[in-house]
Amino acid sequence: MAIATRPLQGTYVADPDHSSVGFTVTHMKLSSFRATFDEIKARFLGEESGGLLLEGRARVGSVSISNPPEFREHVINGADFFDAPNHPEIGFRSTSIEFDEDGTARVEGELEIKGVSRPVSAIGTYRPPVEDPFGSTRAALELAATVDRKDWGLDWQMPLPKGGDVLAYEVELTAHLELIKVG
């Protein structure tokens, strides 16, 4: 694959109405539990020198789990999961970004959950800038990564009566970012 030459230049921020960050984990060995964070901020810097940076934050308390209330409380505030009273945000900062001419994007970076930072590799697609009907320039970046939640201390578990675990340790993370150029 040929590397695209600086497909995104300048500073972009995620449009909160058209962007999402979430996760999927297998529940009871049979279904996918999905959730998103309703409050996210992300910024992409495409510097003239060719340096690229993607960074973002999600407020833990904005996770889209509503029922039952005690489950939401356990996931958001419990030490087994996000522990929001002590760690109200999840963060990401890239260390390397590559865009191929075919639209493939590869991002390496550090994901911080509960004060623990670990390297993460994500792959996905980017869409080059277009002008919107209001005179702004927009681009898109969609990424996915699979991680082991235990690496961040999210190790709650309960055994199933006939073997196996209630909640998988492997979690798919996704980021769908519609970016607006601001500089």
Side-chain angles (χ1 to χ4, degrees):
M1 295 281 160
I3 302 294
T5 53
R6 291 187 249 148
L8 296 175
Q9 304 247 339
T11 301
Y12 292 76
V13 296
D15 177 344
D17 295 327
H18 299 102
S19 300
S20 65
V21 172
F23 61 90
T24 303
V25 61
T26 302
H27 180 252
M28 306 274 280
K29 297 185 350 179
L30 50 86
S31 67
S32 295
F33 175 81
R34 291 177 177 83
T36 57
F37 294 94
D38 294 332
E39 294 178 30
I40 63 168
K41 291 182 181 178
R43 178 175 72 141
F44 177 88
L45 302 174
E47 299 178 20
E48 297 299 323
S49 65
L52 303 174
L53 174 69
L54 176 65
E55 58 187 4
R57 304 206 74 71
R59 192 175 73 76
V60 169
S62 74
V63 71
S64 63
I65 300 170
S66 57
N67 288 314
E70 60 276 2
F71 174 64
R72 177 182 169 74
E73 178 70 19
H74 183 216
V75 170
I76 293 173
N77 294 322
D80 292 328
F81 287 102
F82 291 117
D83 192 15
N86 295 307
H87 307 283
E89 292 186 323
I90 293 169
F92 177 81
R93 184 175 176 91
S94 67
T95 56
S96 163
I97 300 174
E98 289 182 12
F99 294 123
D100 292 344
E101 287 180 355
D102 69 356
T104 299
R106 279 184 281 300
V107 178
E108 305 281 332
E110 292 287 322
L111 177 64
E112 181 183 342
I113 302 173
K114 291 176 63 170
V116 176
S117 290
R118 297 271 189 257
V120 172
S121 298
I123 192 161
T125 60
Y126 80 92
R127 296 216 168 75
V130 297
E131 189 172 324
D132 71 17
F134 309 103
S136 295
T137 300
R138 293 177 180 255
L141 185 58
E142 296 192 2
L143 298 166
T146 301
V147 301
D148 184 335
R149 63 186 174 89
K150 294 180 295 192
D151 290 343
W152 287 271
L154 293 115
D155 53 9
W156 176 89
Q157 195 56 268
M158 181 180 287
L160 292 169
K162 294 188 177 185
D165 296 322
V166 165
L167 197 60
Y169 287 110
E170 188 174 272
V171 178
E172 181 184 25
L173 307 175
T174 56
H176 304 277
L177 305 174
E178 185 169 313
L179 303 163
I180 303 171
K181 190 171 187 178
V182 294

